[in-house]
């Protein structure tokens, strides 16, 4: 490794001047053509060779942060500004302060590139939200919310039905303009901490709720719905970004205008602004050339190429003087829009805002929480999710406890040892035996023992931004005392445990009863096409379960789902499955039952076939009805075969992450999350609290351990 | 055939005691099962295209011990299952005490059946096995206990009541299977080769117990077996079946002495009856290589039947042949000969030397000739003393 890098270094210094600049990006289609053309111009002009690499977006960020520190990364790369602070912290990017000419760009796009007083990179293009008007329905752009409401009133027509406005209102990204427009601040100026419980926040929520209540805005809007409503002329206005232009039908006449100003506060509705920047690697060996390339990409010819064929909204002011841009209603419109936009904060704090805001927003839109109370709800969720770092625990007592425990265990084994006999005598072939088992033992050690011990150890640490600190049992006590929230809240361990147990119980009961019933039907030799049914019924089991989960998720959709389609065809009210606990839970159960019954059916079928037919005949002669035969003969004789499957089924269901995560996603408000999905969220969606999640996992382990011990005791005498 | 069906208004679920004249007196037992007669009328049953029971008419008197015999696959089990209600008939009726059982499911027929495989409930103790049928009939618990205890005592199972079937020996299981029927006191007992799984000693013992049980309970029993000794010792009457057809039914000795056709004649008795083709010639029957002085007002072609027990190897006789095998039962035994008319078995005793390969003569011991029609379907003549 070291030898290789030395070699690489030697080669690098050797051919310094000749080495091409490396440029990484994640563009596709027209955007990719634009960057290729721009780079070609650059090489033509300066003679500097540039090597382009297109990286899949999903892996881009992690690739950059792992490659650059090892000198294997690019000299220049293109990335959205939201990650700047992280890149800065990992020392991946070089500042452009002093070199960058602020006056050449839209002001907000340069603001977005600032981290702790330094500027990084050169703004290329921007993304933000604007108001799309169907000009046939709304010829004049509303400038204030009062105007807007009038236009909405005028264009909304429940008989069609036609809505004045459509946008994904449940998404905080789309709600943010209202928050800022009603004068609320997302972060406290002095502490930098997120704030939710503010009058502006309440007003913004009340305003949007009003739009929905007055029928201006459809419920539970998704991106796909926005598109179809606008294209069918059933939504007069849409809030969306530049990407939406690609989704609008040719036939629709539309205009893009900035979002209106709130009459009450005089502030515009200010959307978030995302800026794509050309960033220079902190480890580049040719900083001058790299800076020059990055700057070149953000200005002049490169900008023109970005407009065409790239169809991006440029950050450079001069671009808007180009005739081509002035004639382009879409791109030119975004200059004004961008002027009002607020750069999405690149702070770590921003990452903590999404989940609480989503909770508040959904709660208000679904009518479960009053707009005034929603801020507090979000605040509580925020506090729960962003636990204060527990105090460091002294390590010594734990070390002593560990040693004592290990010694105690060793002593206990020693007292239970076999008769005192030379090991070699008792196991004369020990060496050969050990040789045979060692591959498996190594496998088990590496794949099971190490992760297990690692996971348990992790539960005693607190993780924050890459740093682990030993906190003793604090994670466990916080979980078990549900610190920061009530026991009856979805975030509480006990609440989730209760949900998990109910989930397991309901599922396994359904799996066994449906599986058994079908097995009994299928066993009947009079049934025609038995073989066909058997295969068909096993199909749900054979399909990968996340595919099934996604299919069911689609079928449960409020507006387009097959199930609601069926209900409305039967003249029943469509059900909004994921807004209430009971229906969301039911949706999960239905999906998992669909997945789970075939296993129980197969097990039951096998067990049923092992019951001799003459027992039923004897029982029949003894006077037993069919039902009595089932109860007194079938069930007791199935029990030994079925019990292990039931125990296994309980463990599987208890940890059935996929279904919960993919079908209800924990909605509403995390209430349908089970312990594993909750643990996952703590680890990967809530500020990377790995230690806390590991403590969850340890608790899950103990719950299941207790369960298997209990069932072993229950079945023990049976087995004996 | 008179119509004997009575409306099923009879309260089947309730205990019902039927006493009849001629019921064997109870011996010792404090309770007396009901005793019923059974009548089968024109029973037909086939599996697919394969006729298994081809029109059986049979009367079983109350208290009778009827044994059914016949070669494997002749439909005995099928007939029992028809009686129990486990199989639907294609035609015919099953009548018990004049009541038509044909449309009733097994649980309403009030018959008890001991299966060839015992079919004990493996998850229940002996006691639960015995009590099961009573529980289902909602007999009060106190009475269940009493009846179970009584049956267990009778079958010497009292010390095994808490065991599961798999912890029992074959004979014990067999007795549990029997006890399960006994406690219920059904109107009719059906046994399907209950002793076939047992070793000889146990079989002999159980045979005795069965006979005692029948005496003690005096109930009607129908019993299927392959074992001729069982048939002969247990039966009040024996029914012989072949290919789904009832060949003859009657007391064991009558069947032995007066078989209705060559099938019955050869099926019962061991070694089987010798059969030769012969023709009347004056006072004698003449066949291939023999001429036999015999009575019987029969003319023309016949089948001539001689039981090996009625033949003796002697210095002189109408049959002669080479000894092919010898079955010695001590001092005496049976010799198997090859004669011109076909194979022949005959008794011998110590007074004549008999060895394989030897040429010997055989003579009948008196008036012992059975005569059958040439196709064997009909008996024409039986020896005087056995008529
Ligand atoms: N369920 C069935 N389906 C088709 N054929 C059957 C069925 N049960 C019995 N048979 C046939 O019916 C005929 C009579 O069977 P059954 O069991 O009554 O004979 P059995 O007299 O009891 O013979 P064994 O003395 O060997 O027990 C046999 O040829 C058998 O193959
Ligand atoms: Mg049989």
């Amino acid at each position: 490794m070291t030898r290789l890098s030395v070699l690489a270094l030697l080669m690098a210094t050797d051919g310094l001047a000749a080495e091409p600049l490396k440029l990484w990006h994640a563009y596709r289609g027209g955007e990719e053509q634009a960057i290729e053309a721009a780079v070609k111009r650059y090489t033509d002009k300066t003679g500097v060779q540039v090597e382009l690499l297109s990286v899949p977006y999903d892996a881009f960020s992690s690739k950059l942060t792992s490659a650059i520190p090892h000198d294997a990364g690019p000299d220049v790369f293109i990335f959205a500004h939201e990650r700047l602070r992280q890149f800065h912290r990992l020392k991946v990017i070089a500042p452009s302060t002093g070199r960058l000419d602020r006056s050449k760009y839209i002001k907000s796009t340069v603001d977005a590139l600032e981290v702790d007083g330094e500027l990084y990179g050169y703004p290329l293009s921007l993304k933000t939200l604007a108001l799309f008007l169907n000009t046939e329905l709304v010829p004049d752009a509303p400038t204030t919310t009062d105007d807007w409401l009038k236009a909405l009133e005028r264009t909304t027509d429940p008989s069609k039905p036609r809505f004045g406005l459509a946008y994904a209102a449940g998404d905080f990204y789309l709600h943010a303009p209202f928050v800022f427009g009603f004068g609320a601040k997302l972060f406290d100026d002095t502490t930098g901490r997120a704030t939710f419980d503010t009058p502006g926040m309440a007003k913004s929520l009340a305003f949007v709720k009003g739009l929905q209540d007055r029928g201006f805005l459809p419920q539970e809007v998704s991106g796909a719905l926005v598109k179809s409503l606008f294209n069918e002329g059933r939504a007069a206005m849409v809030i969306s970004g530049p990407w939406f232009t690609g989704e609008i039908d040719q036939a629709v006449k539309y205009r893009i205008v900035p979002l209106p100003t709130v009459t009450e506060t005089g502030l515009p509705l200010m959307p978030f602004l995302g800026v794509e920047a050309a960033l220079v690697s902190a480890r580049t060996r040719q900083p001058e050339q790299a800076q020059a390339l990055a700057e070149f990409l953000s200005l002049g010819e490169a900008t023109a190429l970005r407009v065409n064929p790239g169809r991006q909204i440029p950050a450079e002011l001069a671009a808007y003087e180009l005739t081509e841009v002035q004639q382009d209603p879409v791109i030119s419109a975004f200059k004004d829009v961008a002027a009002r936009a607020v750069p999405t904060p690149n702070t770590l704090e921003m990452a903590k805002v999404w989940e609480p805001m989503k909770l508040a927003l959904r709660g208000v839109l679904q009518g479960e929480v009053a707009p005034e109370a929603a801020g507090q709800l979000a605040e509580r969720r925020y506090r729960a999710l962003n636990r204060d770092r527990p105090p460091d625990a002294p390590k010594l007592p734990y070390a002593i406890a560990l040693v004592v425990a290990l010694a105690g265990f060793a002593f206990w084994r020693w007292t239970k040892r076999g008769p005192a006999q030379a090991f070699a005598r008792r196991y004369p072939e020990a060496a050969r035996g050990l040789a045979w088992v060692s591959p498996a033992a190594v496998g088990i050690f590496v794949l099971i023992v190490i992760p297990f011990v690692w996971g348990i150890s992790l539960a005693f640490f607190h993780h924050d931004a890459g740093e682990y600190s030993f906190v003793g049992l604090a994670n466990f006590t916080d979980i078990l005392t549900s610190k920061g929230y009530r026991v009856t809240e979805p975030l509480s361990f006990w609440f989730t445990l209760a949900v998990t147990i109910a989930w397991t119980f309901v599922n396994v009961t359904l799996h066994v009863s449906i599986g058994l019933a079908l097995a009994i039907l299928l066993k009947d030799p009079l049934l025609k096409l038995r073989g066909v049914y058997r295969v068909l019924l096993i199909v749900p089991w054979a399909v990968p379960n996340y595919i099934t989960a996604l299919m069911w998720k689609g079928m449960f959709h409020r507006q387009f789902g097959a199930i609601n389609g069926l209900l409305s065809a039967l003249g029943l009210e469509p059900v909004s499955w994921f807004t209430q606990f009971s229906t969301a839970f039911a949706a999960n159960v239905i999906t998992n039952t669909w997945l789970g019954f075939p296993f129980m059916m197969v097990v039951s079928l096998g067990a049923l076939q092992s019951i001799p037919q003459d027992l039923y005949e004897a029982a029949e002669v003894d006077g037993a009805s069919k039902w009595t035969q089932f109860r007194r003969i079938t069930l007791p004789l199935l029990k030994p075969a079925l019990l292990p499957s039931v125990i296994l089924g309980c463990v599987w269901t208890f940890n059935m992450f996929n279904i919960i995560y993919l079908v209800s996603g924990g909605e509403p408000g995390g209430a349908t999350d089970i312990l594993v999905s909750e643990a996952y969220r703590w680890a990967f969606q809530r500020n990377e609290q790995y230690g806390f999640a590991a403590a969850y996992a340890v608790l899950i382990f103990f719950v299941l351990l207790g369960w298997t011990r209990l069932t072993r005791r229950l079945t023990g005498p049976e087995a004996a | 055939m008179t119509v004997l069906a009575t409306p099923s208004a009879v309260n089947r679920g309730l205990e019902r005691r039927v006493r009849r004249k001629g019921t064997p007196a109870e011996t010792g037992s404090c309770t007396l099962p009901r005793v019923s007669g059974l009548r089968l009328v024109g029973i037909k049953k086939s599996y697919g295209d394969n006729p298994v029971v081809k029109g059986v008419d049979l009367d079983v008197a109350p208290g009778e011990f009827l044994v059914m015999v016949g070669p494997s696959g002749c439909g005995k089990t099928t007939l029992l299952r028809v009686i129990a209600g486990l199989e639907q008939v294609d035609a015919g009726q099953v009548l018990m005490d004049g009541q038509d059982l044909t449309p009733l499911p097994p649980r309403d027929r009030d018959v008890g059946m001991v299966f060839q495989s015992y079919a004990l409930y493996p998850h229940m103790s002996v006691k639960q096995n015995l009590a099961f049928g009573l529980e289902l009939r909602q007999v009060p618990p106190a009475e269940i206990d009493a009846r179970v205890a009584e049956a267990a005592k009778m079958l010497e199972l009292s010390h095994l009541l808490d065991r599961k079937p798999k912890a029992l020996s074959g004979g014990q299981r067999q007795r549990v299977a029997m006890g399960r029927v006994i406690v219920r006191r059904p109107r009719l007992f059906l046994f399907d080769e209950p002793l076939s799984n047992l070793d000889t000693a146990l079989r002999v013992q159980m045979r005795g117990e069965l006979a005692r049980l029948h005496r003690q309970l005096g109930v009607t029993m129908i019993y299927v077996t392959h074992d001729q000794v069982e048939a002969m010792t247990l039966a009040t009457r024996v029914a012989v079946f072949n290919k789904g057809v009832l060949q003859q039914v009657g007391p064991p000795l009558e069947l032995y002495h007066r078989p209705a056709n060559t099938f019955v004649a050869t099926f019962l008795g061991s070694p089987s009856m010798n059969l030769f083709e012969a023709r009347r010639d004056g006072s004698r029957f003449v066949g291939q290589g023999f001429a036999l002085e015999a009575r019987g007002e029969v003319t023309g072609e016949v089948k001539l039947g001689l039981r090996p027990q009625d033949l003796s190897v002697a210095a002189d006789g109408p049959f002669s042949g080479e000894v092919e095998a010898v079955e010695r039962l001590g001092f005496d035994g049976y010799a198997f000969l090859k004669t011109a008319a076909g194979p022949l078995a005959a008794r011998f005793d110590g007074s004549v030397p008999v060895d394989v390969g030897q040429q010997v003569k055989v003579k009948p011991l008196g008036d012992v000739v059975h005569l059958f029609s040439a196709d064997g379907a009909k008996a024409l003549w039986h020896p005087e003393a056995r008529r």
Side-chain angles (χ1 to χ4, degrees):
Chain A
M1 185 66 223
T2 21
R3 218 182 301 161
L4 266 182
S5 44
V6 169
L7 198 69
L9 206 69
L10 280 175
M11 284 167 66
T13 27
D14 214 349
L16 197 65
E19 194 186 15
L21 286 170
K22 279 186 263 175
L23 171 57
W24 289 8
H25 65 91
Y27 286 140
R28 287 279 175 276
E31 297 181 341
E32 189 173 10
Q33 285 170 24
I35 189 91
E36 279 167 357
V39 163
K40 194 162 175 298
R41 295 266 174 95
Y42 183 70
T43 306
D44 290 349
K45 239 186 193 163
T46 63
V48 176
Q49 294 294 321
V50 180
E51 207 177 87
L52 268 177
L53 181 68
S54 168
V55 180
Y57 180 75
D58 291 340
F60 197 13
S61 161
S62 59
K63 214 166 167 168
L64 287 169
T65 52
S66 56
I68 291 178
H70 292 102
D71 289 322
D75 300 289
V76 178
F77 61 94
I78 296 171
F79 211 94
H81 82 280
E82 280 95 339
R83 282 288 169 94
L84 275 184
R85 188 167 297 264
Q86 197 194 352
F87 289 151
H88 161 71
R89 212 182 61 216
L90 296 172
K91 303 192 174 53
V92 165
I93 44 175
S96 55
T97 323
R99 185 158 188 139
L100 178 137
D101 184 351
R102 280 176 174 269
S103 64
K104 288 186 175 167
Y105 307 95
I106 297 176
K107 181 180 175 300
S108 55
T109 64
V110 179
D111 292 347
L113 302 183
E114 199 173 312
V115 179
D116 296 345
E118 290 262 23
L119 292 174
Y120 291 90
Y122 302 83
L124 301 180
S125 63
L126 58 94
K127 289 190 171 124
T128 189
L129 295 173
L131 190 62
F132 289 67
L133 309 175
N134 180 326
T135 42
E136 278 165 27
L137 297 167
V138 192
D140 302 317
T143 52
T144 64
T145 45
D146 280 357
D147 283 354
W148 199 29
L149 287 173
K150 277 186 209 119
L152 289 170
E153 179 94 65
R154 192 163 41 71
T155 49
T156 296
D157 184 353
S159 66
K160 286 212 158 94
R162 188 174 68 209
F163 299 97
L165 179 65
Y167 75 99
D171 189 337
F172 175 56
Y173 180 69
L174 284 116
H175 183 70
F178 296 92
V179 175
F180 299 130
F182 279 90
K185 285 225 169 68
L186 216 44
F187 300 101
D188 188 290
D189 282 338
T190 49
T191 62
R193 186 189 175 284
T195 53
F196 303 95
D197 196 8
T198 60
M201 177 71 76
K203 278 184 202 154
S204 75
L205 291 167
F207 182 80
V208 173
K209 176 80 165 107
L211 295 181
Q212 185 182 289
D213 287 350
R214 295 170 71 183
F216 299 164
L217 181 67
Q219 295 178 13
E220 279 192 49
V221 195
S222 67
L225 184 65
V226 171
K227 176 184 166 188
S228 67
L229 286 177
F230 194 66
N231 282 334
E232 290 162 20
R234 296 202 291 132
M237 291 175 259
V238 155
I239 301 177
S240 194
W243 57 87
F244 189 61
T245 55
E247 301 187 348
I248 303 173
D249 283 352
Q250 300 275 299
V252 181
K253 300 265 172 301
Y254 69 97
R255 252 179 85 194
I256 297 170
V257 297
L259 294 167
T261 301
V262 178
T263 316
E264 188 188 330
T265 60
L267 293 168
L269 296 175
M270 289 174 274
F272 276 136
L273 175 76
V275 176
E276 255 173 355
L279 297 160
V280 175
S281 161
R283 312 279 300 219
T284 174
R285 281 182 297 275
Q286 308 170 66
E288 259 318 301
Q289 282 97 325
Q291 292 281 0
L293 171 63
E295 186 173 27
F296 175 83
L297 291 176
S298 71
L299 293 171
E301 295 171 73
T303 306
L305 285 166
R306 213 163 21 258
V307 171
N308 186 17
R311 305 286 313 144
Q312 289 169 300
I313 315 294
E316 189 195 3
L317 282 167
Y320 294 90
E321 309 303 324
L322 298 171
T323 39
E324 192 180 1
V325 171
Q326 278 173 348
Q327 282 165 6
D328 187 319
V330 173
I331 293 177
S332 58
F334 270 96
K335 184 188 172 196
D336 289 346
V337 174
R340 299 172 161 204
V342 185
T344 316
N346 55 28
T347 56
L348 287 179
E349 196 67 8
M350 185 63 205
K352 303 176 184 174
V353 168
W354 299 99
E355 190 175 334
M357 273 313 299
K358 183 171 133 188
L359 185 75
L361 206 48
R362 301 259 165 115
V364 169
L365 290 176
Q366 284 159 13
E368 279 155 17
V369 188
E372 308 79 57
Q376 220 172 22
L377 178 74
E379 179 74 33
R380 280 230 317 285
R381 175 61 68 108
Y382 172 87
R383 255 185 282 143
L385 297 181
N386 300 284
R387 295 165 55 241
D388 294 332
R389 179 171 176 280
D392 278 357
K395 298 189 180 81
L396 189 62
Y398 286 92
I400 293 172
L402 183 68
V403 169
V404 168
L406 286 176
F409 180 75
F411 179 76
W412 178 73
R413 290 301 313 175
W414 184 74
T415 55
K416 298 192 84 181
R417 74 198 187 283
Q421 206 184 81
F423 182 82
R425 176 104 58 82
R426 242 188 327 151
Y427 304 106
E429 301 243 49
R432 189 187 302 200
L434 286 176
W436 281 109
V437 297
S438 56
V442 168
I444 287 176
F445 189 77
V446 171
L447 296 174
I448 295 177
V449 178
I450 291 182
F452 185 78
V453 172
W454 188 273
I456 290 188
S457 320
L458 197 57
F460 292 88
F461 288 83
H462 179 81
H463 171 253
D464 191 18
E467 277 166 36
Y468 291 90
S469 46
F470 185 77
V471 295
L473 288 170
N475 287 332
F476 292 100
T477 47
D478 283 6
I479 291 173
L480 295 177
T481 57
S482 64
K483 190 175 161 211
Y485 28 90
R486 285 193 300 273
V487 173
T488 50
E489 270 183 89
L491 276 184
S492 134
F493 174 79
W494 301 107
F495 181 92
T496 313
L497 179 65
V499 171
T500 312
I501 290 173
W503 157 256
T504 309
F505 178 79
V506 172
N507 269 299
V508 174
T509 309
L510 285 173
H511 296 180
V512 173
S513 36
I514 294 176
L516 189 55
L518 287 173
I520 288 171
L521 283 181
L522 284 181
K523 196 179 123 305
D524 191 342
L526 293 180
L527 191 70
K528 294 230 163 66
L529 298 177
R530 263 195 308 169
V532 176
Y533 300 139
R534 268 186 213 188
V535 171
L536 282 182
L537 285 170
I538 291 173
V539 164
W541 195 30
V543 175
N545 66 9
Y546 66 93
I547 292 180
T548 312
L550 290 174
M551 277 172 5
W552 279 94
K553 168 96 180 161
M555 292 203 284
F556 283 119
H557 189 275
R558 171 80 172 71
Q559 245 133 352
F560 310 107
I563 294 177
N564 277 350
L566 204 69
L567 290 180
S568 15
L570 294 173
L572 296 168
E573 274 292 296
V575 177
S576 178
W577 288 91
F578 300 113
T579 59
Q580 283 169 44
F581 174 77
S582 54
T583 49
F585 187 77
N588 285 342
V589 167
I590 291 170
T591 308
N592 199 41
T593 300
W594 170 256
L595 279 167
F597 79 84
F599 173 72
M600 292 298 174
M601 185 188 82
V602 170
V603 172
S604 309
L605 207 52
L608 277 179
Q609 274 158 347
S610 72
I611 301 177
Q613 190 57 32
D614 60 2
L615 290 188
Y616 293 105
E617 296 186 337
E620 211 168 322
V621 174
D622 264 348
S625 62
K626 287 278 179 230
W627 170 242
T628 312
Q629 288 173 35
F630 174 74
R631 219 163 40 85
R632 302 286 303 267
I633 311 284
T634 310
L635 272 190
L637 287 176
L638 278 185
K639 213 175 100 188
L642 224 46
L643 252 181
S645 324
V646 169
I647 294 169
L648 207 61
C650 285
V651 174
W652 285 343
T653 312
F654 199 90
N655 282 340
M656 185 45 91
F657 173 80
N658 292 8
I659 303 304
I660 303 289
Y661 189 76
L662 294 175
V663 178
S664 79
E667 289 294 301
T672 53
D673 265 321
I674 59 174
L675 289 174
V676 261
S677 59
E678 194 76 19
Y680 172 85
R681 288 184 210 287
W682 284 110
F684 302 110
Q685 295 182 339
R686 292 170 187 164
N687 212 13
E688 304 186 334
Q689 305 195 45
Y690 297 140
F692 200 71
Y696 249 83
V698 170
L699 290 171
I700 293 172
F701 170 73
F702 280 113
V703 169
L704 289 177
L705 186 71
W707 163 246
T708 42
R709 296 235 68 123
L710 183 78
T711 47
R712 171 114 49 104
R713 185 157 305 170
L714 289 181
T715 56
E718 207 74 25
Chain B
M1 188 60 57
T2 47
V3 177
L4 290 164
T6 57
S8 57
V10 185
N11 195 344
R12 297 186 295 270
L14 288 180
E15 288 280 292
R16 201 168 55 107
R17 295 193 171 212
V18 179
R19 278 174 191 259
R20 288 182 174 221
K21 268 198 180 147
T23 302
E26 58 196 288
T27 52
S29 170
C30 58
T31 49
L32 182 72
R34 296 143 302 161
V35 177
S36 299
L38 180 81
R39 168 170 288 184
L40 303 180
V41 186
I43 303 288
K44 284 188 182 152
K45 169 78 193 170
S46 35
Y47 291 114
D49 306 333
N50 173 24
V52 174
V53 178
K54 304 170 188 166
V56 168
D57 294 289
L58 184 62
D59 265 313
V60 185
E64 190 170 20
F65 198 122
L66 181 90
V67 175
M68 299 207 244
V69 293
S72 192
C74 71
K76 306 180 296 290
T77 299
T78 308
L79 198 58
L80 273 201
R81 292 168 59 83
V82 163
I83 296 170
L86 295 171
E87 301 287 353
Q88 294 298 308
V89 293
D90 298 339
Q93 279 184 312
V94 179
L95 303 163
M96 194 186 289
D97 295 334
Q99 180 202 354
D100 186 3
L101 298 186
T102 324
L104 299 183
R107 64 173 176 277
D108 294 335
R109 291 195 178 197
D110 202 10
V111 299
M113 180 153 170
V114 178
F115 290 80
Q116 190 166 352
S117 58
Y118 309 147
L120 299 182
Y121 309 121
H123 56 296
M124 301 186 193
S125 66
V126 168
K127 187 170 182 174
Q128 289 165 329
N129 262 285
L130 295 179
F132 187 63
L134 297 178
E135 278 169 27
L136 296 181
R137 287 177 164 76
Q138 262 124 47
V139 177
E143 195 182 341
I144 294 182
D145 286 347
R147 285 212 223 168
V148 168
E150 182 197 28
K153 192 159 159 256
M154 185 192 301
L155 295 165
E156 293 168 19
L157 289 169
S158 306
H159 61 296
L160 302 173
L161 284 178
D162 293 325
R163 294 217 196 146
K164 292 267 173 73
K166 69 169 176 247
L168 298 178
S169 75
Q172 290 164 338
R173 288 181 205 185
Q174 203 276 329
R175 289 189 307 224
V176 176
M178 206 124 70
R180 195 164 63 178
V181 177
I182 290 170
V183 289
R184 268 183 40 218
R185 297 177 192 160
R187 290 191 280 176
L188 178 67
F189 283 61
L190 305 174
F191 297 92
D192 191 1
E193 306 191 35
L195 307 186
S196 59
N197 289 350
L198 307 185
D199 69 38
T200 323
L202 200 53
R203 202 182 298 184
V204 170
Q205 183 201 336
M206 286 310 301
R207 199 194 294 151
E209 287 189 27
L210 264 173
R212 180 169 60 86
L213 190 73
H214 181 240
R215 269 199 314 280
Q216 211 168 340
L217 300 176
V219 288
T220 317
M221 295 184 172
I222 300 180
Y223 188 101
V224 170
T225 183
H226 271 126
D227 184 327
Q228 293 205 14
V229 185
E230 263 170 44
M232 291 299 174
T233 51
L234 290 172
T236 33
R237 284 195 303 156
V238 176
V240 182
F241 289 88
N242 186 27
K243 295 182 180 157
V245 177
L246 176 59
Q247 303 290 324
Q248 188 178 7
V249 58
L253 278 181
E254 182 186 316
L255 262 56
Y256 183 75
H257 290 312
R258 303 169 51 73
N261 53 35
T262 51
F263 177 80
V264 178
T266 49
F267 190 75
L268 295 179
S270 168
S272 295
M273 183 184 274
N274 301 301
L275 286 176
F276 303 106
E277 281 169 10
R279 195 168 19 82
R280 189 67 161 180
D281 183 8
S283 70
R284 302 188 311 171
F285 284 97
V286 180
Q288 199 79 42
F290 71 89
L292 187 64
E293 209 53 60
R295 301 176 55 183
E297 292 106 41
V298 179
T299 55
E301 300 278 333
V302 294
K303 271 236 165 75
L304 200 140
L306 288 162
R307 290 215 180 266
Q309 293 81 358
D310 298 333
L311 297 174
S312 177
V313 178
D316 194 19
F319 300 99
S320 68
E322 184 188 332
V323 179
E324 286 203 305
V326 176
E327 210 173 74
R328 247 178 239 285
L329 308 164
F331 180 65
D332 56 1
Y334 292 102
F336 297 88
L337 278 60
K338 199 169 114 190
T339 70
L344 176 148
R347 256 173 53 117
F348 68 89
D349 59 34
S351 59
V352 264
V354 176
D355 271 312
V356 175
Q358 202 181 345
Q359 287 288 335
V360 294
K361 298 217 155 153
V362 168
K363 73 161 201 255
L365 303 170
D367 170 24
V368 292
V369 177
H370 299 259
L371 297 176
F372 302 94
S373 59
D375 59 357
K378 202 164 153 258
L380 303 174
W381 179 263
H382 296 296
E384 207 95 287
R386 295 172 185 169
R387 251 179 262 172

